[in-house]
Amino acid sequence: MISTLLSRAGGADGDPAPRLVYGADYNPEQWPRAVWEEDVRLMREAGVNLVSVGIFSWARLQPAEDTWDFAWLDEVMDLLHEGGVGVDLATATASPPPWLTTAHPEILPVTATGETLWPGARQHWRPTSPVFRRYALRLVRALATRYAGHPALVAWHVNNELGCHNVYDYSDDAARAFRDWLRARYSTVDALNSAWGTAFWSQRYTDWEQILPPRLAASHPNPTQQLDFKRFSSDALKDHLRAEREVLRELTPDIPVTTNFMVMGGTRGMNYPDWADEIDFVSNDHYVHPGPQDRDELSFSANLTSGISGGRPWFLMEHSTSAVNWQPVNVAKRPGDLVRDSLLHVAHGADAVCFFQWRQSAAGAEKYHSAMVPHAGADSELFRAVAGLGATLESLAPLAGSEREPARVGILYDWESWWASEQDSHPTSLLDYRQEALDWYSALLALGIRADLVTTRADLHRHQVLIAPVLHVVPADLAKTLTRYAEQGGHLITTYFSGVVDEHDHVWLGGYPGALRDLLGIHIEEFGPLLPGDSVELDDATTGTLWTDRITVTDSGTEVLARYRTGEQSGRPAVTRRPAGGGSAAYVSTRLGVEGLTSLLPRLLEPAGVESELPAEARGSVEPVVRRGAGGRFLFLVNRTDDTVQVPGLGGDVLVGATGADGTLTLGPRAVAVLRQPVA
Ligand code: GLA
Ligand code: GLA
């Protein structure tokens, strides 16, 4: 789908062959007309073949309620088309103009403490406001009517990063829509009372009108109310996405529709696996947060985006050429980072590499955010690196459209468990769901073993090993699925605080880990969270932090792989595994961190016979990733280190990188090689 976007536009040189997309957000309204011509010339020079236009252009396109100004955008679209650059045209609804918020302040979001989020920045709109919806759809209709049939138009970009700043709105509109959502979910107030456990703290409702979003309360708000509000808030944004998409489908049925997700860092408000089917292709934005696992996190996010996209190619809509402007300290990228970061996304299935933004702004909140054309201009190291990357992507055209080759190991990433496991009034407030999954991922990278991030919507049976860290919410049908998975030969690995509650956040009674107790062959009567700084030793020389469990083995088949050597649980099982049918189910009851997991994993993977596919010299220092398509099997080797790594011959044509006479690949610091191998 993505690789054919360009043939739809005729491609930069009129060549309809699939290729990778290269480009950026383009904000010409920030620049005088004279700069536009230079922009298009430089885009060609850099190999740019697609830009996203109009993302924040509402005030310019519609300067007053009944005044429209499309002339400038007509000209931009024409110029880009003449230059062979396709357009991913935004619906421009991300930032309502001042005339609209002045006339209708009731579209502004309200926080849990009752404060209004005023205009002056961006995304100051309530997802549930009927007034906002009406104005937004009118704009979408006007744009789609005007540009239907324009030859530059290759895709629609709905809004921008839906929920980036406005995911939780506690306004009266939100309260009304929340009640409608709850009515659809529960039908009766009694059913809601039972799901929310309102017998507790005198919370019993007798009428829908009494129900509110979880606004600032005197103590811990009802946990199921909080969980449902998270589900509702994600659905409210999804509903807005659908509403814009419906207008676009009506007026331009042949133009694919996307919206940019934010699978990165701590962004958790939008349940993207649940949104993926609403759009024609998945797009993602990703920014590096500097830290010890920063590139593992990049790989993890790209990998998870691929999982959300069902393994199909996806579109990297934004990342940065160098520094951003919104972190406490905004670090510039080092030599090699630009190419390595970009190709790591491609390795995990991105068929497009785009940036925020084309030309670095001279004014506004993002003037210190890097871009493809920096403040220094095109005669700069950065622009030369940008053009070099364009050429590299050109040489990777044969892999456009290829899909990710399933890895033997899957890591289950579940939004419901993410939301529920981190709520308040739990055994510990220190649990970080995403970090838990990332640590398992880093440990697999350290061992040179490929793994796919998957969601509960995926076919889990594709993976011989399924790691489900902190799978906290396990409804009855998921428990059945996981039991069947193990009985049919899969090897499940799960951890503390998994299987504890059902979809209503009610505890499965009879001992933890309730829903998975029988499958795991263990019983836990009480959790043993650890204070910050405390740790326990295990008899396999690993160290646990954060959590311990008081485990009793209940099935004679359950093996104890490691025991606690110190602490309150000393002598008790810490890591267990129960054979189940053709497979097994293992449980890790403490936080071992990347180092501990790297040491434990080979034992956990042994029954499945999973080992690294890399030669010993490259394990740990190189991340292997594989895409597969009509053009072949594409093996990416990404140097995770700042040192040069030699990788003995693996066979295949070298698309990116250099080999010596004996076929040894030399990967410089942070370098990437891509090999094309015949499909077995
Ligand atoms: C987000 C937005 C962009 C820009 C970048 C800056 O991704 O979509 O408009 O603000 O962040 O990093
Ligand atoms: C207080 C309250 C109780 C209960 C406990 C929990 O003592 O009176 O209702 O909430 O705290 O520790």
Side-chain angles (χ1 to χ4, degrees):
M1 169 64 84
I2 298 165
S3 50
T4 56
L5 287 182
L6 291 170
S7 44
R8 194 187 287 273
D13 47 12
D15 176 359
R19 73 187 69 194
L20 298 179
V21 170
Y22 190 43
D25 287 9
Y26 180 40
N27 298 304
E29 66 269 47
Q30 294 177 17
W31 299 97
R33 171 70 178 75
V35 176
W36 302 354
E37 313 253 344
E38 189 198 36
D39 283 335
V40 176
R41 184 175 59 72
L42 291 175
M43 284 176 193
R44 292 192 75 116
E45 205 176 305
V48 163
N49 49 33
L50 184 131
V51 290
S52 297
V53 180
I55 294 176
F56 298 107
S57 305
W58 192 343
R60 180 78 191 258
L61 290 167
Q62 191 184 8
E65 173 143 11
D66 290 311
T67 312
W68 299 89
D69 178 8
F70 291 114
W72 68 275
L73 184 54
D74 293 351
E75 207 177 341
V76 167
M77 297 280 288
D78 293 348
L79 269 178
L80 288 166
H81 181 62
E82 284 156 24
V85 180
V87 173
D88 167 53
L89 187 58
T91 57
T93 55
S95 193
W99 62 259
L100 176 54
T101 49
T102 303
H104 293 288
E106 73 275 22
I107 71 171
L108 299 171
V110 176
T111 66
T113 52
E115 287 159 306
T116 297
L117 298 180
W118 295 99
R122 63 175 177 186
Q123 223 175 54
H124 37 277
W125 53 275
R126 299 178 187 175
T128 56
S129 161
V131 177
F132 176 77
R133 180 72 58 89
R134 196 169 68 240
Y135 280 95
L137 296 189
R138 190 165 167 237
L139 173 62
V140 177
R141 187 165 286 280
L143 274 164
T145 305
R146 180 125 191 141
Y147 296 105
H150 193 288
L153 176 65
V154 296
W156 283 112
H157 180 110
V158 169
N159 200 278
N160 189 62
E161 289 191 341
L162 285 160
C164 178
H165 309 297
N166 63 350
V167 57
Y168 297 122
D169 164 44
Y170 298 80
S171 65
D172 289 344
D173 277 327
R176 177 191 41 73
F178 187 36
R179 284 177 207 126
D180 290 345
W181 185 93
L182 290 167
R183 242 186 235 118
R185 184 175 175 88
Y186 296 113
S187 301
T188 66
V189 176
D190 277 351
L192 176 139
N193 277 317
S194 145
W196 284 18
T198 57
F200 182 83
W201 280 357
S202 188
Q203 292 172 350
R204 189 163 184 279
Y205 297 99
T206 54
D207 191 281
W208 292 105
E209 291 306 309
Q210 299 158 358
I211 299 169
L212 292 169
R215 291 175 178 161
L216 182 68
S219 176
H220 305 291
N222 181 303
T224 316
Q225 176 193 18
Q226 292 191 58
L227 185 57
D228 272 347
F229 188 67
K230 288 174 183 152
R231 292 168 172 148
F232 154 77
S233 298
S234 176
D235 280 0
L237 287 161
K238 184 175 76 171
D239 192 60
H240 184 84
L241 164 62
R242 274 191 187 144
E244 289 201 14
R245 182 207 61 201
E246 284 312 294
V247 175
L248 299 170
R249 288 227 169 123
E250 176 199 327
L251 296 169
T252 55
D254 297 331
I255 302 296
V257 176
T258 192
T259 191
N260 44 345
F261 292 173
M262 290 177 283
V263 178
M264 65 173 130
T267 304
R268 71 201 69 192
M270 289 67 69
N271 185 347
Y272 292 130
D274 178 55
W275 289 24
D277 291 344
E278 303 293 342
I279 46 184
D280 296 313
F281 60 91
V282 165
S283 299
N284 196 46
D285 295 352
H286 185 273
Y287 292 94
V288 172
H289 287 71
Q293 282 169 280
D294 53 13
R295 264 59 194 197
D296 291 359
E297 194 284 328
L298 188 161
S299 170
F300 179 96
S301 293
N303 193 322
L304 179 55
T305 305
S306 175
I308 290 166
S309 182
R312 285 179 295 279
W314 50 277
F315 201 111
L316 179 65
M317 188 65 86
E318 289 180 25
H319 68 153
S320 64
T321 57
S322 191
V324 298
N325 66 298
W326 43 263
Q327 292 170 357
V329 177
N330 297 298
V331 178
K333 290 197 177 183
R334 300 162 303 172
D337 283 341
L338 175 66
V339 174
R340 189 262 316 269
D341 293 356
S342 298
L343 294 190
L344 201 40
H345 286 291
V346 174
H348 285 286
D351 263 6
V353 172
C354 295
F355 295 96
F356 176 84
Q357 59 177 329
W358 166 251
R359 188 181 279 277
Q360 187 168 11
S361 300
E366 294 182 317
K367 59 182 174 296
Y368 296 119
H369 193 296
S370 60
M372 293 176 92
V373 182
H375 286 156
D379 184 10
S380 57
E381 270 179 45
L382 182 61
F383 186 72
R384 282 186 281 278
V386 159
L389 174 59
T392 301
L393 293 174
E394 188 76 48
S395 70
L396 288 175
L399 63 77
S402 60
E403 306 214 335
R404 102 166 147 187
E405 181 181 270
R408 302 187 66 201
V409 178
I411 299 176
L412 188 59
Y413 201 84
D414 178 43
W415 251 254
E416 293 266 308
S417 287
W418 193 4
W419 286 342
S421 67
E422 294 182 353
Q423 294 210 123
D424 58 67
S425 46
H426 276 189
T428 177
S429 58
L430 303 177
L431 191 146
D432 178 339
Y433 178 84
R434 199 175 202 262
Q435 185 64 45
E436 297 287 330
L438 178 58
D439 282 356
W440 283 89
Y441 191 73
S442 284
L444 288 158
L445 288 176
L447 293 166
I449 295 171
R450 289 196 291 130
D452 293 342
L453 268 297
V454 294
T455 72
T456 46
R457 295 155 68 93
D459 175 10
L460 304 178
H461 293 272
R462 292 180 89 164
H463 307 283
Q464 278 95 63
V465 176
L466 184 67
I467 302 175
V470 192
L471 189 66
H472 185 59
V473 180
V474 179
D477 54 349
L478 181 56
K480 277 200 203 105
T481 302
L482 294 175
T483 303
R484 212 175 312 121
Y485 169 78
E487 282 169 356
Q488 292 178 358
H491 298 277
L492 175 73
I493 301 167
T494 190
T495 74
Y496 44 93
F497 217 32
S498 294
V500 173
V501 297
D502 67 8
E503 64 274 31
H504 299 310
D505 201 22
H506 291 202
V507 172
W508 288 105
L509 300 178
Y512 317 120
L516 302 174
R517 203 169 49 215
D518 293 343
L519 176 59
L520 293 164
I522 57 171
H523 179 276
I524 295 162
E525 204 175 302
E526 195 166 31
F527 302 126
L530 299 178
L531 290 167
D534 281 359
S535 61
V536 289
E537 302 300 320
L538 275 59
D539 64 5
D540 64 357
T542 58
T543 302
T545 59
L546 185 82
W547 196 283
T548 64
D549 278 318
R550 194 172 177 75
I551 298 179
T552 306
V553 165
T554 53
D555 185 286
S556 57
T558 305
E559 298 169 72
V560 176
L561 300 185
R563 286 182 186 275
Y564 289 102
R565 204 170 55 72
T566 62
E568 289 303 313
Q569 325 297 348
S570 180
R572 284 185 174 268
V575 181
T576 62
R577 177 167 56 210
R578 176 177 165 263
S584 67
Y587 186 78
V588 180
S589 65
T590 184
R591 171 154 205 251
L592 295 176
V594 178
E595 210 182 310
L597 293 175
T598 308
S599 127
L600 175 67
L601 260 167
R603 290 168 76 201
L604 292 177
L605 298 176
E606 195 229 279
V610 171
E611 288 174 0
S612 178
E613 297 160 47
L614 282 178
E617 298 89 324
R619 280 177 211 160
S621 45
V622 170
E623 173 179 354
V625 199
V626 182
R627 294 179 64 164
R628 181 192 281 263
R633 181 180 194 264
F634 301 93
L635 171 62
F636 286 72
L637 299 167
V638 184
N639 186 349
R640 302 173 67 221
T641 74
D642 291 341
D643 305 317
T644 297
V645 180
Q646 308 280 345
V647 187
L650 290 166
D653 310 331
V654 181
L655 295 183
V656 174
T659 42
D662 60 351
T664 298
L665 267 172
T666 302
L667 282 171
R670 308 188 274 275
V672 181
V674 187
L675 304 176
R676 173 158 51 175
Q677 303 172 327
V679 178

